[in-house]
């Protein structure tokens, strides 16, 4: 089977047909495809049509001289890199300089030896081929680089979304339990920075909130209504705290709120706000209107205990949990806070939860008090008389 040789196209432009024919004879070879053109006025259009690998261009032509044709060739983007060998009847340095200035690649005095002419034509044809291959390879590299970058961006986005979804509760859109560690790391870092700047660090309070008799809502109104109540609860909680406070779905119908505070009465006011936010107005659960209340237990974080350099988050959470349990057993729709302050009679109730007030000391070294806040009146009678 014969293999097709790709021949390099050579366009020869000269207004004298005799010279053109002579050059054709000098160049004739199997690996070249020769095109002759003797009209300088249409030479640029011819070059565009042929797309040659090399152009041999006579300098002294009529009606348009070779240098102007050269300028016309260089003005065409697709011909800008095509090697042009100028042909001249005389060896004239000034004309040569002029030709190179206009973008010629070579200069040959007519008629050259066939050996020299063929060597030059092949050299330029190969140089063009190599330069174009390099440019193509470079473009392919850029393309694959940008594809790679695009893919990396996609992977990063997927990773971000995955990380987000791992930290997010799908039903309510709130952060879930896994977010606590991240939040606390940030909290510790911001306290450390405050210490360094000798500013009073923001304190936080941990609120555990549990909806009251939630099982009854599921049982009476259906699981979907229960879901709506959870979503509505999340929205109400979110809008009753600061934007940078954390609201987490702790599990089932239990939520954890970590809120900053600046003066000692703030946590109690915040607990009252939570009770109002949930129980203060009925929720629309599909076709049903239902007042849902909640029980809350809260404690500031961190604590400094007598034996504990700093109570851990787990210990603080169990304090808040114990206080929430106290709210449930005291009739629900209320909040209990374990707060720094002078020990009072109520503090003794903490002992009933298995926590000795004596082991607790707040950051400022004072004692412990138990604070009770009662939720909105709506529905309380019903709840008090219902078990579940
Ligand atoms: N609809 C719905 N219900 C849930 C979801 N997660 C947990 N629950 C329900 O929440 C209810 C919690 O019931 P309990 O632990 O008995 O608590 P409760 O009925 O709220 O009673 P108290 O907490 O003692 O006031 C259970 O019936 C769970 O099935 C949820 O994602 N959607």
């Amino acid at each position: 089977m014969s293999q097709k040789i790709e021949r390099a196209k050579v366009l020869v432009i000269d207004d004298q047909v005799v010279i053109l024919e002579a050059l054709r004879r000098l160049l004739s070879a199997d690996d070249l495809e020769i095109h002759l053109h003797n009209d300088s006025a249409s030479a640029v259009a011819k070059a565009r049509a042929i797309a040659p690998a090399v152009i041999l261009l006579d300098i002294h032509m009529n009606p348009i001289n070779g240098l102007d044709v050269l300028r016309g060739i260089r003005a065409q983007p697709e011909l800008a890199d095509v090697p042009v060998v100028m042909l001249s009847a005389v060896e004239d340095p000034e004309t040569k300089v002029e030709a190179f200035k206009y973008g010629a690649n070579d200069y040959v005095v007519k008629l050259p030896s066939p050996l020299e002419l063929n060597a030059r034509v092949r050299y330029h044809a190969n140089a063009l081929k190599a330069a174009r291959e390099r440019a193509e390879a470079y473009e392919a590299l850029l393309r694959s680089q940008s594809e790679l970058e695009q893919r990396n961006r996609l992977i990063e986005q997927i990773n971000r979304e995955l990380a987000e979804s791992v930290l997010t509760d799908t039903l309510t859109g709130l952060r879930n339990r896994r977010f606590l560690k991240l939040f606390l790391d940030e909290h510790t870092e911001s306290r450390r920075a405050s210490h360094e700047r000798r500013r009073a660090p923001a304190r936080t309070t941990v609120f555990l909130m549990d909806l009251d008799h939630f099982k009854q809502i599921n049982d009476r109104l259906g699981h979907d209504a229960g879901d709506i109540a959870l979503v509505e609860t999340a929205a109400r909680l979110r809008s009753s705290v600061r934007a940078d406070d954390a609201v987490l779905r702790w599990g089932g119908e239990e939520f954890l709120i970590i809120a900053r505070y600046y003066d000692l009465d703030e946590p109690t006011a915040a607990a009252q706000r939570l009770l109002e936010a949930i129980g203060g107005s009925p929720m629309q659960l599909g076709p049903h209107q239902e007042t849902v209340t909640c029980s809350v237990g809260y404690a500031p974080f961190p604590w400094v205990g007598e034996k504990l350099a700093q109570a851990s988050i787990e210990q603080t959470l169990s304090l808040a949990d114990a206080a929430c349990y106290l709210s449930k057993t005291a009739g629900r729709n209320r909040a209990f806070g374990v707060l720094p302050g002078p020990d009072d009679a109520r503090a003794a109730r903490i002992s009933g939860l298995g926590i000795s007030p004596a082991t607790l000391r707040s950051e400022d070294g004072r004692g412990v008090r138990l604070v009770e806040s009662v939720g909105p009146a709506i529905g309380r009678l019903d709840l008090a008389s219902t078990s579940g």
Side-chain angles (χ1 to χ4, degrees):
M1 202 167 81
S2 73
Q3 205 179 348
K4 194 165 177 272
I5 301 167
E6 200 190 316
R7 294 190 298 165
K9 291 180 190 169
V10 180
L11 173 62
V12 190
I13 303 165
D14 197 307
D15 55 355
Q16 293 180 59
V17 176
V18 207
I19 302 282
L20 285 177
E21 284 305 331
L23 286 166
R24 181 209 289 279
R25 276 195 302 278
L26 292 183
L27 285 169
S28 64
D30 286 348
D31 59 342
L32 299 178
E33 182 182 308
I34 315 288
H35 296 261
L36 305 178
H37 192 73
N38 72 339
D39 174 21
S40 61
S42 58
V44 175
K46 182 74 178 176
R48 289 185 68 189
I50 289 180
V54 181
I55 297 173
L56 301 183
L57 176 62
D58 184 26
I59 284 190
H60 303 289
M61 288 192 294
N62 276 313
I64 299 175
N65 78 49
L67 290 180
D68 287 334
V69 173
L70 176 59
R71 274 219 306 238
I73 287 171
R74 287 298 178 238
Q76 309 302 314
E78 71 269 40
L79 297 175
D81 62 344
V82 174
V84 176
V85 180
M86 301 307 291
L87 303 169
S88 175
V90 287
E91 179 84 46
D92 168 18
E94 276 176 20
T95 316
K96 266 190 192 176
V97 168
E98 191 91 341
F100 287 127
K101 206 168 81 192
Y102 283 127
N105 300 74
D106 205 351
Y107 189 100
V108 170
V109 176
K110 290 189 280 192
L111 287 171
S113 81
L115 221 56
E116 180 188 337
L117 184 65
N118 280 289
R120 285 182 191 263
V121 165
R122 278 171 185 76
Y123 163 77
H124 288 298
N126 289 337
L128 177 68
K129 194 166 171 245
R132 286 187 174 172
E133 280 170 358
R134 267 200 309 277
E136 251 173 50
Y138 182 64
E139 264 174 33
L141 188 74
L142 287 185
R143 263 197 313 279
S144 68
Q145 215 168 6
S146 100
E147 275 167 21
L148 203 68
E149 278 165 8
Q150 214 173 331
R151 214 170 307 159
N152 282 344
R153 277 198 296 277
L154 192 69
I155 291 171
E156 276 170 21
Q157 190 191 331
I158 291 170
N159 281 340
R160 267 199 307 276
E161 284 171 7
L162 264 178
E164 271 294 302
S165 72
V166 163
L167 296 171
T168 306
D169 171 52
T170 45
L171 176 65
T172 60
L174 290 179
R175 295 302 195 182
N176 59 23
R177 280 179 100 102
R178 292 191 202 97
F179 182 70
L180 181 63
K181 189 178 172 325
L182 280 186
F183 185 88
L184 291 175
D185 288 349
E186 220 171 83
H187 175 253
T188 310
E189 179 53 31
S190 106
R191 281 177 69 86
R192 196 189 56 72
S194 296
H195 276 302
E196 270 176 15
R197 280 183 272 127
R198 297 181 192 283
R199 293 241 190 96
R203 295 147 184 254
T204 50
T205 305
V206 172
F207 297 82
L208 261 181
M209 187 280 251
D210 192 286
L211 292 175
D212 294 329
H213 300 302
F214 192 65
K215 184 173 179 308
Q216 289 181 14
I217 292 180
N218 277 337
D219 291 349
R220 276 192 297 117
L221 311 179
H223 201 268
D224 286 352
D227 281 357
I228 299 172
L230 291 170
V231 173
E232 176 65 17
T233 298
R236 290 184 181 203
L237 290 178
R238 216 25 296 173
S239 60
S240 67
V241 297
R242 293 188 183 91
D244 53 353
D245 292 339
V247 179
L248 280 55
R249 183 165 178 209
W250 200 236
E253 19 66 277
E254 201 175 7
F255 296 82
L256 180 77
I257 298 109
I258 308 177
R260 284 177 308 146
Y261 72 94
Y262 297 94
D263 77 58
L264 291 179
D265 293 333
E266 250 185 274
T268 307
Q272 193 69 53
R273 266 203 313 281
L274 293 178
L275 293 172
E276 291 288 339
I278 304 304
S281 61
M283 293 184 185
Q284 191 68 45
L285 309 179
H288 314 281
Q289 271 217 338
E290 192 79 13
T291 296
V292 183
T293 63
C294 65
S295 299
V296 179
Y298 59 100
F301 177 72
W303 283 88
V304 176
E306 269 180 343
K307 297 198 182 115
L308 315 157
Q310 180 177 300
S312 66
I313 183 66
E314 286 77 16
Q315 286 164 310
T316 307
L317 283 171
S318 57
L319 270 183
D321 194 40
C324 184
Y325 177 74
L326 217 53
S327 297
K328 291 276 181 193
T329 53
R332 297 181 173 81
N333 189 25
R334 71 194 62 227
F336 271 99
V338 186
L339 295 173
D343 296 344
D344 64 10
R346 276 188 166 157
R349 292 175 73 175
I350 307 177
S351 314
L353 307 171
I355 298 159
S356 157
T359 62
L360 291 169
R361 282 292 176 268
S362 58
E363 269 194 304
D364 55 10
R366 293 193 295 158
V368 172
R369 69 199 162 106
L370 197 61
V371 178
E372 181 179 9
S373 317
V374 179
I378 319 155
R380 255 201 298 147
L381 279 179
D382 294 350
L383 295 174
S385 61
T386 331
S387 62

